[in-house]
Amino acid sequence: MNKTVNINIGGLFFHIDEDAYQKLSRYFDAIKRSLSNSSGKDEIMKDIEMRVAELFTERQKSDKHVINNVDVDQVVAVMGQPEDYRIDDDAEASKNEPFYVPNKTKKLYRDKDRGLIAGVCTGLGHYTGIDSVWIKIIFLIFALVSFGWFLIVYLILWIATPKAITTSEKLEMTGEPVTISNIEKKVREEFENVSDKIKNADYDKMGNHIKSGAESAGTKLGNAFTSVFGAFAKVLGALIVVFSSIVLLVVSVTSVVMLFSSSMPDNKIVEFIKTPIGLETPIWAQGILFFFAAGIPLFFLLILGLKLLVTNLKSIGSIAKYSLLALWIIAIGILISLGISEANQLAYSGKALEKQSMTVAATDTLKVRFAYNDFYSKRIEDRSEYRIVQDSLGNEVIHSTNVTIHLKKTDKAFPYVQIEKLAQGKSFAEANQRAQKIKYNYKIVGNELILDNYFTTETKNKFRGQMVEVYLYLPEGIVYYPNENVEAYLSGHNADFDYYYGPEGYKYKVKGTELDCLNCPNEDSQNNEGETEDISVIEENDSIKTVSVKVNGKEVIQTTTGKGDEGSLTINKDGIIIKTK
């Protein structure tokens, strides 16, 4: 029975038997000896250990898995022997190759070293093999075409894609095998780049005193900028967390309501849910799609805010990130396809006409009012575009008060009404057929036109922009007398008379294209509204009269006339008090 040892490699803990531990220790010691003359030896060893830890993690079948000699041999086969990668120069290194050549598979990382903002486009360039410049141009074009909405995609990729930090991750980003040779080459290249930058810096013109002062000032200035931007990042992170949390909660509640809408009783909350694709797709399915399409970006936005707010926040993991990203892409794709399908359902408009004349002479008065059905609603002001209700026979029907009235001028001797039923469909034939199935009632009683404030249609006709437009044609000279409730349904669209001709509930005479109000209150009476006059004449005998004028119960004028008086107060036909002689 072999003895087991607990070891820490690259920050990860493993169970390894004693023989395998000794072999792995000799392997690391040999690597260290081979790197004794290399610059950045500690950085190289750190990356090698992290890569070895990743390989051991891939081979673990369970938490109780114990690493043995076979596992160590497989890792060594991937990483290569130290003597094969003792690099004194590039020419010598190219002579020897490991006996195991790993597959060149790339992983998606953000290349922050070469990127301008977050390294998303540069990382995609490494992954796809396309120059990052073209990817940046494509992102910019999509951002402009989508009016900025495509920036959400960039934000999601920014959050979901990890940044290449270690040498192993940088090698995986470019598809190079993560071996001792490549790790050492990569680290040496980075050290050489840093060394070249230092050598190219022009310090010859500076004295040591000036140089140390500049470095100190630069350090303080950098710390100041770091503190300011750090505080700004904290505040920004807090705002993002609050905003995304509230909106995510609203999205979640709305999605749950939509998801269980079919089992909920008839209520205003469900009725007021209006969606762009609410024609064919069930509301519960829309709830699921809405949750993924809107909730996932908000969740990533919440994570971004938490990262700005909390230092060293633990990541949710690459599997979770890419799974959520895939769900979001699928949801957006389904929504786009459904949107195109729904748009096709409303591609054509249909119309059904009904016309009836009224035997009302041009010198008579035409009354107009709207009536409601108390089975569907108990008040005339109830305005709802569409809702599914039961009729008096218990059948489900679509009920709507999307009814409007338009006033038109006619040269005929009698007024007439034209009812236009409108609907939409994926063809003219379907739209016309759906318009004909709209049930709308009106009646003419004497000189009064009574219009329903609603219409119904069967649920199988679906919501397809159904509406009813009433066109009332008025001849010259007729008196138009609308009820006060007409105002809620009056429309100035396609009307020959000014929509704001005056208040409803008054009589109007048609004069050309004008409606002349016959009994509307004038401005003076409106300004003096609330003041009442009480004028009384008391005759005491044949020769003496007393005239008393009261306003709001207060006597303001009183005069007595009789024999010998030269004048008296009288009221003319316009209601004005005058003194006569």
Side-chain angles (χ1 to χ4, degrees), residues 294-314:
I296 292 177
L298 289 170
F299 175 75
F300 280 121
L301 188 64
L302 176 62
I303 296 298
L304 176 62
L306 290 174
K307 284 186 176 181
L308 293 175
L309 193 60
V310 180
T311 308
N312 298 326
L313 181 68
K314 187 177 181 180

Side-chain angles (χ1 to χ4, degrees), residues 515-544:
L515 290 176
D516 186 17
C517 187
L518 302 179
N519 60 342
C520 291
N522 54 41
E523 294 182 359
D524 292 337
S525 62
Q526 287 179 345
N527 293 334
N528 297 327
E529 186 177 358
E531 297 184 356
T532 59
E533 297 181 357
D534 184 10
I535 303 175
S536 60
V537 179
I538 303 174
E539 185 175 338
E540 295 182 351
N541 50 49
D542 295 339
S543 59
I544 299 175

Side-chain angles (χ1 to χ4, degrees), residues 278-298:
L279 301 177
E280 292 285 344
T281 309
I283 294 183
W284 64 265
Q286 296 182 55
I288 297 175
L289 294 173
F290 176 66
F291 178 76
F292 287 131
I296 292 177
L298 289 170

Side-chain angles (χ1 to χ4, degrees), residues 275-478:
T275 61
I277 59 170
L279 301 177
E280 292 285 344
T281 309
I283 294 183
W284 64 265
Q286 296 182 55
I288 297 175
L289 294 173
F290 176 66
F291 178 76
F292 287 131
I296 292 177
L298 289 170
F299 175 75
F300 280 121
L301 188 64
L302 176 62
I303 296 298
L304 176 62
L306 290 174
K307 284 186 176 181
L308 293 175
L309 193 60
V310 180
T311 308
N312 298 326
L313 181 68
K314 187 177 181 180
S315 175
I316 62 174
S318 300
I319 296 177
K321 291 179 182 178
Y322 290 121
S323 299
L324 291 175
L325 180 61
L327 284 175
W328 181 78
I329 294 174
I330 292 172
I332 292 297
I334 294 175
L335 286 174
I336 292 174
S337 62
L338 288 176
I340 295 173
S341 176
E342 298 293 350
N344 291 332
Q345 301 295 327
L346 306 175
Y348 298 90
S349 298
K351 182 187 297 185
L353 299 179
E354 185 178 344
K355 183 177 179 181
Q356 184 173 349
S357 299
M358 291 173 282
T359 57
V360 179
T363 57
D364 292 341
T365 299
L366 174 62
K367 298 180 180 180
V368 179
R369 68 181 175 91
F370 278 87
Y372 65 92
N373 188 323
D374 58 6
F375 185 83
Y376 299 114
S377 177
K378 296 295 186 295
R379 54 193 180 93
I380 191 71
E381 296 85 3
D382 185 14
R383 297 286 280 170
S384 59
E385 289 190 4
Y386 301 103
R387 60 179 180 176
I388 297 178
V389 297
Q390 283 188 339
D391 59 13
S392 58
L393 301 178
N395 300 318
E396 288 189 353
V397 295
I398 297 175
H399 173 275
S400 174
T401 57
N402 196 2
V403 179
T404 55
I405 182 171
H406 314 261
L407 301 181
K408 303 287 289 182
K409 185 76 170 60
T410 180
D411 296 332
K412 295 183 179 180
F414 296 95
Y416 67 93
V417 61
Q418 180 171 298
I419 308 296
E420 295 187 2
K421 304 173 184 178
L422 308 176
Q424 295 174 312
K426 58 185 177 182
S427 65
F428 281 120
E430 182 182 280
N432 290 330
Q433 186 179 15
R434 185 172 285 116
Q436 293 171 1
K437 292 182 179 180
I438 295 176
K439 297 178 182 179
Y440 179 74
N441 299 318
Y442 68 96
K443 59 183 177 180
I444 301 173
V445 181
N447 65 336
E448 185 177 23
L449 174 62
I450 304 174
L451 302 164
D452 281 353
N453 76 326
Y454 71 97
F455 66 85
T456 60
T457 186
E458 297 179 4
T459 54
K460 65 180 181 180
N461 295 323
K462 303 175 183 178
F463 300 132
R464 290 295 186 274
Q466 290 96 334
M467 65 180 302
V468 172
E469 292 185 341
V470 179
Y471 288 90
L472 179 59
Y473 289 83
L474 302 173
E476 179 74 19
I478 196 171

Side-chain angles (χ1 to χ4, degrees), residues 11-24:
L12 300 177
F13 288 93
F14 299 96
H15 301 290
I16 184 171
D17 63 40
E18 190 173 11
D19 294 339
Y21 173 72
Q22 293 177 358
K23 179 181 288 188
L24 184 62

Side-chain angles (χ1 to χ4, degrees), residues 135-288:
I135 296 179
K136 293 175 183 177
I137 294 174
I138 293 173
F139 265 74
L140 181 61
I141 292 174
F142 274 105
L144 295 175
V145 171
S146 62
F147 301 100
W149 282 103
F150 197 73
L151 294 176
I152 298 177
V153 178
Y154 185 88
L155 179 63
I156 293 175
L157 289 174
W158 185 351
I159 300 172
T161 307
K163 181 174 67 173
I165 300 175
T166 65
T167 306
S168 299
E169 291 173 343
K170 294 177 181 179
L171 291 173
E172 290 175 339
M173 179 175 62
T174 57
E176 298 181 51
V178 185
T179 60
I180 300 175
S181 174
N182 289 333
I183 290 175
E184 185 174 356
K185 286 181 180 179
K186 193 71 176 178
V187 173
R188 287 179 63 183
E189 288 176 1
E190 293 178 357
F191 269 91
E192 289 173 359
N193 291 334
V194 174
S195 177
D196 291 339
K197 291 180 181 179
I198 295 175
K199 291 178 181 179
N200 292 332
D202 188 5
Y203 294 119
D204 295 335
K205 298 179 181 180
M206 301 181 183
N208 292 332
H209 179 70
I210 299 176
K211 182 170 65 175
S212 60
E215 289 177 353
S216 177
T219 302
K220 293 180 180 179
L221 184 61
N223 293 334
F225 273 109
T226 302
S227 301
V228 171
F229 282 108
F232 176 76
K234 297 289 185 182
V235 174
L236 180 62
L239 293 176
I240 292 175
V241 168
V242 173
F243 170 77
S244 57
S245 299
I246 295 174
V247 179
L248 184 59
L249 179 61
V250 173
V251 169
S252 302
V253 172
T254 305
S255 301
V256 171
V257 172
M258 296 173 68
L259 181 61
F260 296 100
S261 59
S262 59
S263 59
M264 287 183 175
D266 188 17
N267 56 73
K268 292 296 180 184
I269 296 179
V270 178
E271 288 180 10
F272 285 138
I273 294 179
K274 305 296 182 183
T275 61
I277 59 170
L279 301 177
E280 292 285 344
T281 309
I283 294 183
W284 64 265
Q286 296 182 55
I288 297 175

